Amino acid sequence: MSSIVLGVSGGVAAYKAALLLRALTESGHDVRVVPTPSALHFVGAATFEALSGNPVTTDVWADVPEVAHVRIGQTADLVVVAPATADLLARAAAGRADDLLTATLLTAHCPVVFAPAMHTEMWLHPATQDNVATLRRRGAIVLPPAVGRLTGPDSGPGRLPEPADIAALAQLVLDAGPAALAQDLAGRRVLISAGGTREPLDPVRYLGNRSSGLQGLALARVAAARGADVVLVAANVDGPAPFGVRVERVGTAEELRTAMRTGAREADVVVMSAAVADFRPESVAPTKLKKGSAAEPSSIPLVRNPDVLVELVAERSAGQLVVGFAAETGDAEGDVLAHGRAKLARKGCDLLVVNDVSDGRVFGRPDNAAVVLGSDGSATELPPGSKDSVAAGIWSAVVPHLG
Ligand SMILES: Cc1cc2nc3c(=O)[nH]c(=O)nc-3n(C[C@H](O)[C@H](O)[C@H](O)COP(=O)(O)O)c2cc1C
């Protein structure tokens, strides 16, 4: 259990702070909410008190014997400010301490994550951009806002990321430290495939695999949080897309192949984390195959699907980095890493993320571990952890290879 300060400033998205608070407390953390006075125009203190189980004050004159304006920051493991208004970013950048939240920011030794939310004009204004740059230079994490519907009918960059994404990223910072959300993918265009393809047999049935897409979703979420422009080609992946990620949903290997080859033309980094079927049924029955009918098959002939990773490697543009994935099990012919090295050589990609999937590890589980093999002979071991922390480790292994 960690001690988290949830700062809330006065934007319409303050209502989402209640959901974020719920997600953080349900993960077992002790959360102290510190709203600005403006935030309480949007959500009442009672909501934050009831959901956190902790008192809520906005100014430095309450709880004076406890010296709350110093103690709350000093004892926190993480401060998350969501939403962070333009005004709050300006006050934090200027080092003001005119309410309990800004005083807390000045006394916090722990990582600080700001999740800005405001109208596009306010976000893009040079004053706000300078304040963000100042905060980042000092080591704070300022998440890029999502692009989407804003308060009124307009839309653009400035939307608060969804509470579930902020909670996941807060956990990532607690687990892996602030470097996990460095802004080292800013301006990079990243194309990621995730999930597992399904090859139809008839209108009802398909041949599939056990990939849930959770690792690919984590790669997309962390890349977006690190500043990348992310497109996710999602093969049968459940759940909403991470914030800031454009999603193209596909079903079969052929659909995934088309989406990836098209998307790769615009990408600096291509990551093939989807499990693509090697084979598909030779023919797809137009109607359901029924027991005892004349069409009942005694066997299902399969044909090979094209190797999408090999195609992406062959078509890669100058300076583009191609990252493959290998789900391996050890066998009589070699251990997991030996199979990984052989696959890296065979496929010709720049990096290969090798997962050991023996004994039910990896598929559909929230945790993972991997080794990132490089075509330069490098091997980076990523210790067991959440799929978000493995994703952060993969991006940290990718970044030095970017031109
Ligand atoms: C209805 C309404 C919605 C607002 N939404 C935002 C917002 O999303 N982002 C923002 O930066 N400011 C927003 N503001 C302006 C802030 O409330 C204002 O700048 C205030 O001084 C912020 O104070 P704080 O940063 O101390 O919370 C909004 C104001 C109103 C009245």
Side-chain angles (χ1 to χ4, degrees):
M1 180 181 81
S2 296
S3 178
I4 299 178
V5 172
L6 174 58
V8 183
S9 53
V12 151
Y15 77 92
K16 291 188 183 174
L19 299 170
L20 174 57
L21 169 58
R22 182 62 136 199
L24 294 172
T25 55
E26 281 184 356
S27 300
H29 301 302
D30 180 43
V31 186
R32 171 91 192 232
V33 182
V34 183
T36 64
S38 299
L40 296 185
H41 286 289
F42 295 94
V43 180
T47 300
F48 294 133
E49 288 186 330
L51 289 176
S52 69
N54 282 317
V56 166
T57 47
T58 60
D59 64 51
V60 297
W61 306 112
D63 231 356
V64 172
E66 299 281 322
V67 206
H69 74 286
V70 175
R71 187 181 45 81
I72 293 174
Q74 281 175 337
T75 55
D77 299 311
L78 177 71
V79 178
V80 181
V81 185
T85 58
D87 177 67
L88 188 279
L89 293 172
R91 289 191 293 125
R96 299 283 303 266
D98 50 356
D99 61 16
L100 186 58
L101 178 54
T102 45
T104 297
L105 289 169
L106 287 183
T107 56
H109 306 289
C110 60
V112 177
V113 179
F114 293 94
M118 62 200 73
H119 264 84
T120 302
E121 291 85 344
M122 294 175 93
W123 171 248
L124 294 178
H125 194 283
T128 304
Q129 290 299 309
D130 279 356
N131 292 330
V132 168
T134 299
L135 292 166
R136 282 181 176 156
R137 185 167 43 76
R138 292 187 195 139
I141 296 158
V142 184
L143 297 178
V147 178
R149 178 91 191 268
L150 303 170
T151 312
D154 41 354
S155 70
R159 187 180 158 84
L160 187 73
E162 292 313 308
D165 283 321
I166 303 174
L169 294 171
Q171 188 62 53
L172 174 60
V173 174
L174 285 168
D175 293 342
L181 292 183
Q183 289 299 297
D184 50 6
L185 291 172
R188 304 289 188 176
R189 298 164 305 171
V190 170
L191 176 70
I192 301 167
S193 69
T197 59
R198 291 178 183 172
E199 308 302 311
L201 196 52
D202 67 12
V204 182
R205 306 178 181 95
Y206 58 82
L207 295 182
N209 62 65
R210 298 181 59 207
S211 178
S212 63
L214 289 175
Q215 187 60 70
L217 284 171
L219 279 162
R221 175 170 37 245
V222 175
R226 284 168 85 142
D229 178 5
V230 185
V231 176
L232 179 72
V233 174
N236 311 297
V237 177
D238 292 333
F243 82 102
V245 172
R246 276 177 292 147
V247 180
E248 197 168 329
R249 300 208 182 256
V250 295
T252 64
E254 190 55 41
E255 288 165 9
L256 181 139
R257 175 190 187 212
T258 304
M260 290 300 286
R261 291 175 76 191
T262 308
R265 292 186 206 131
E266 309 277 312
D268 301 311
V269 187
V270 177
V271 182
M272 269 295 290
S273 75
V276 184
D278 288 333
F279 309 101
R280 67 177 185 278
E282 191 175 49
S283 61
V284 182
T287 53
K288 185 178 173 187
L289 296 167
K290 291 204 171 71
K291 283 184 284 190
S293 73
E296 179 178 337
S298 56
S299 64
I300 301 167
L302 301 174
V303 291
R304 263 197 200 200
N305 277 327
D307 190 322
V308 184
L309 181 56
V310 164
E311 287 182 336
L312 291 169
V313 167
E315 293 167 5
R316 112 185 103 182
S317 54
Q320 185 182 70
L321 206 73
V322 179
V323 183
F325 266 66
E328 298 287 352
T329 55
D331 58 25
E333 287 168 31
D335 65 8
V336 166
L337 277 191
H339 285 301
R341 286 205 181 86
K343 181 167 178 178
L344 177 66
R346 215 168 48 242
K347 304 280 182 177
C349 48
D350 302 288
L351 294 166
L352 188 77
V353 181
V354 183
N355 288 130
D356 182 348
V357 295
S358 344
D359 307 325
R361 278 173 246 175
V362 181
F363 289 127
R365 296 185 47 152
D367 51 342
N368 199 0
V371 178
V372 184
L373 299 178
S375 56
D376 56 3
S378 60
T380 311
E381 195 160 332
L382 306 178
S386 68
K387 287 188 172 170
D388 278 3
S389 63
V390 169
I394 291 170
W395 289 122
S396 294
V398 164
V399 166
H401 295 267
L402 295 172

